[in-house]
Amino acid sequence: MPVPRKIIIDTDPGQDDAVAILLALGSPEFDILGITAVAGNVPLKLTEKNARKICELAGRPDIKVYSGAIRPLIRELVTAEEVHGKTGLNGPELPEPTMKLEEQHAVDYLVETLMREEAGTVTLCPLGPLTNVALALIREPRIAPRIKEIVLMGGGFFEGGNVTPSAEFNIYVDPHAADVVFRSGVPIVMMPLDVTHKALTTTKRIDAFRQLGTRVGLATAQMLEFFERYDEGKYGTDGGPLHDPCVIAYLIKPELFQGRHCNVTVETASELTMGMTVVDWWGVTKRPKNAIVMRDIDHDGFFALLVERLGRL
Ligand code: BDR
Ligand code: CA
């Protein structure tokens, strides 16, 4: 067994964030150094609490959870209760967490950890707006060359946007932070809507979680049943896109995904297209290639991996 990969999950749970966290917790490939919460799907007070609820659901109250940025760098916070429900984790009845929130601020934690750990060994997994990661890069630019890579869920190009016609939620909420991250020089792997809209939580797939017959399996089925109802209505599909677990699945089985190394630039000027990820897929500019942009997924393989790993919890 190779040495587990050190990861920090930056997240705004969110049911799909929760499934991503569960996938990481169920996978021996990872050494989860910490989870940092950011405001996004719901306000920060709820996202940090939800992260702890999920660790406890998985029987891992030892995981360190940090609270980070309460709002985006410049713009007002936009949340998504219409998708995720009032708590952000609507669906199952999960008890209030008893594990403590760490006292250190998430941004301080990111800087301190990245300066302390051996350079090139820590992978960041952002699953929400990029505010915490951008703040860490601004606060201590020396962390950039020390980060192994950033594998993030965000953006969309061929598929368009999900919160405006051209912008995906995570990038839209804090486009200025996303701009800092995409210009940072850190190797980036991007899981955009082009991928996640091919990973649908069909009835059959949700049943497979329920049939695990465990607390985690049942809670996952209940979370996904709540989460998909908004998108099923919006897109007219059986099931909704399961975004954030794509990040963790890529780190376990990169062969499930296909993409291309290209330039990604974030729109921060036009109100009409604010937060759009402009992907130079065809290489029509000389802008530097700063991200591997994924476009395809083996969705059956992805769900098989999820069921197998959540089954270990
Ligand atoms: C992203 O936005 C949130 O609603 C989800 O958790 C995911 O990270 C999808 O656009
Ligand atoms: Ca998220």
Side-chain angles (χ1 to χ4, degrees):
M1 180 81 199
V3 184
R5 185 194 272 252
K6 293 177 199 164
I7 61 169
I8 299 174
I9 302 175
D10 186 70
T11 175
D12 62 336
Q15 293 90 347
D16 61 325
D17 301 73
V19 177
I21 294 169
L22 292 171
L23 176 59
L25 290 170
S27 299
E29 288 85 353
F30 301 116
D31 173 6
I32 306 174
L33 301 182
I35 296 180
T36 52
V38 68
N41 287 323
V42 285
L44 182 66
K45 266 259 152 285
L46 291 170
T47 60
E48 63 84 352
K49 194 208 274 190
N50 290 345
R52 290 183 290 136
K53 281 185 179 175
I54 295 303
C55 291
E56 289 193 357
L57 171 68
R60 292 296 305 276
D62 56 301
I63 298 283
K64 296 196 181 320
V65 176
Y66 301 81
S67 180
I70 198 157
R71 44 154 287 203
L73 298 185
I74 295 175
R75 289 163 68 85
E76 292 290 317
L77 177 65
V78 175
T79 53
E81 284 84 357
E82 72 282 11
V83 183
H84 300 271
K86 210 168 160 33
T87 70
L89 278 189
N90 282 39
E93 284 299 320
L94 296 174
E96 288 294 295
T98 57
M99 65 186 271
K100 292 268 168 294
L101 181 66
E102 297 298 312
E103 275 176 21
Q104 190 177 28
H105 191 278
V107 174
D108 293 336
Y109 166 74
L110 283 166
V111 169
E112 193 188 289
T113 307
L114 288 161
M115 293 306 288
R116 185 193 59 231
E117 295 289 334
E118 190 188 334
T121 63
V122 179
T123 298
L124 300 186
C125 305
L127 311 176
L130 288 158
T131 321
N132 285 343
V133 180
L135 282 170
L137 286 163
I138 292 167
R139 169 112 178 233
E140 180 48 273
R142 288 182 299 164
I143 66 173
R146 302 181 67 84
I147 300 170
K148 181 177 167 73
E149 63 181 333
I150 296 177
V151 184
L152 63 88
M153 191 281 137
F157 191 61
F158 297 96
E159 183 75 19
N162 60 356
V163 59
T164 75
S166 48
E168 179 278 330
F169 180 81
N170 290 341
I171 308 294
Y172 178 77
V173 172
D174 200 339
H176 301 94
D179 186 45
V180 169
V181 171
F182 277 94
R183 288 178 195 277
S184 67
V186 179
I188 294 173
V189 178
M190 170 173 156
M191 290 293 165
L193 298 177
D194 305 286
V195 165
T196 66
H197 279 215
K198 293 174 181 154
L200 298 177
T201 57
T202 60
T203 311
K204 205 168 145 219
R205 286 169 174 169
I206 292 186
D207 276 349
F209 290 114
R210 186 175 278 108
Q211 278 163 20
L212 286 171
T214 59
R215 226 158 72 83
V216 166
L218 178 61
T220 300
Q222 291 169 331
M223 282 195 282
L224 294 182
E225 269 162 357
F226 185 90
F227 180 55
E228 70 177 3
R229 88 216 178 291
Y230 180 86
D231 283 338
E232 283 184 326
K234 185 172 168 190
Y235 302 116
T237 45
D238 172 17
L242 188 54
H243 310 282
D244 294 338
C246 290
V247 165
I248 306 297
Y250 167 78
L251 291 169
I252 303 169
K253 279 193 162 191
E255 64 274 17
L256 292 175
F257 299 88
Q258 279 185 333
R260 188 180 283 190
H261 199 202
C262 36
N263 175 269
V264 179
T265 305
V266 180
E267 174 65 81
T268 56
S270 154
E271 200 50 50
L272 180 65
T273 52
M274 183 64 74
M276 179 179 184
T277 45
V278 179
V279 176
D280 187 6
W281 185 263
W282 300 111
V284 295
T285 72
K286 297 230 165 4
R287 292 197 284 262
K289 295 180 178 181
N290 57 350
I292 297 174
V293 180
M294 294 302 176
R295 197 168 167 188
D296 273 306
I297 177 172
D298 167 0
H299 42 86
D300 285 330
F302 168 67
F303 278 94
L305 176 71
L306 272 168
V307 172
E308 192 259 311
R309 294 306 171 90
L310 267 55
R312 299 186 188 193
L313 294 171

